[in-house]
Amino acid sequence: MVLLSAGPGDLELLTLKAVKALAAADVLLLDDLVDPGIVELAPRARVLRVGKRGGCRSTPQAFICRLMRRYALQGARVVRVKGGEALLFGRAGEEIGFLREAGIGVQVINGVSAAFAAAASLGVSLTHREHCHGVTFVTAHTRDGGEPDWRALCATGATLAIYMGLHRLESLAHGLSRHLPANTPAVVVQAASCADESRVLTTLGRLPAAAAALRPGRPGVVLVGAALAEAWAVQGLPARPARAATTAS
């Protein structure tokens, strides 16, 4: 059983190990956000689409786990294809635990996460000796619907890579603004690495207004922190933009 990270969207970012696993697959369980063209790399596989997308009708996680178990116990080479990096906010822990309890071995194939793809597209580093010495990956909301401890996260001085936050930019910005200056650089990147990627370069204080420039239904990541100031230079913008600036690749 293979748990495969498909990356942020660009199939050229797949690892060689991922391509080999796809070519050998008998069954593909395909996430909704994965480029559908990935099936061409698995010519002999039966494709089962088990879409999961925040805020939308999704395949129940328990059902996905049972599918993996069923085909794996039948002796099929099963590849569970997950968007982005499978080990980051992808319920991989639940799936690995379920399969191990069933006596099924799991191989995890790493991939590129959206935050790294977004930073690469912007031409900036998520860390910088002059700005910060770390990066924190965080989801915008907890399982019970609450919010992370923004105070503790901001106190680290690290770049924040915030996932699943596009539907709550206003509350997200409000929580961060209580602990960071309003002119802290913020960037929203949707569909990072894809042909239809879009970006909004702004500041924390103007982050709620960025919602008007977002493309509905497209996944995205929010990057916040002093290291993102480098993005202004790359895009030829002032170091502290007076208003949100939108660019698209």
Side-chain angles (χ1 to χ4, degrees), residues 32-216:
D32 190 42
L33 294 177
V34 175
D35 186 327
I38 199 171
V39 300
E40 297 178 11
L41 300 175
R44 45 191 298 255
R46 177 182 180 183
V47 179
L48 303 175
R49 302 184 186 280
V50 290
K52 295 190 73 63
R53 187 184 292 229
C56 301
R57 185 176 180 180
S58 301
T59 306
Q61 183 63 48
F63 180 70
I64 296 174
C65 287
R66 291 196 299 271
L67 280 177
M68 290 190 294
R69 180 179 62 188
R70 177 199 305 172
Y71 288 108
L73 291 178
Q74 290 176 358
R77 283 177 283 201
V78 183
V79 178
R80 167 78 166 107
V81 184
K82 302 171 77 70
E85 165 51 51
L87 302 181
L88 189 62
F89 305 127
R91 295 193 179 183
E94 297 174 37
E95 296 179 358
I96 293 171
F98 178 90
L99 292 166
R100 284 179 176 166
E101 285 184 10
I104 299 169
V106 183
Q107 176 189 13
V108 180
I109 298 179
N110 296 111
V112 178
S113 190
F116 292 113
S121 178
L122 290 165
V124 301
S125 174
L126 294 177
T127 60
H128 196 289
R129 289 192 299 175
E130 295 181 8
H131 301 299
C132 72
H133 299 281
V135 57
T136 300
F137 301 93
V138 59
T139 177
H141 54 86
T142 57
R143 186 171 186 176
D144 61 4
E147 293 191 349
D149 186 343
W150 294 124
R151 179 178 180 179
L153 290 169
C154 293
T156 66
T159 299
L160 299 179
I162 306 169
Y163 291 70
M164 294 172 279
L166 300 192
H167 295 295
R168 47 178 21 182
L169 278 183
E170 186 171 354
S171 62
L172 186 158
H174 176 73
L176 291 173
S177 295
R178 295 166 60 187
H179 312 291
L180 292 174
N183 65 349
T184 301
V187 182
V188 181
V189 181
Q190 290 184 279
S193 82
C194 298
D196 60 346
E197 175 188 299
S198 61
R199 316 165 196 151
V200 179
L201 281 70
T202 185
T203 59
L204 182 56
R206 296 184 178 275
L207 187 56
L214 299 181
R215 303 177 62 185

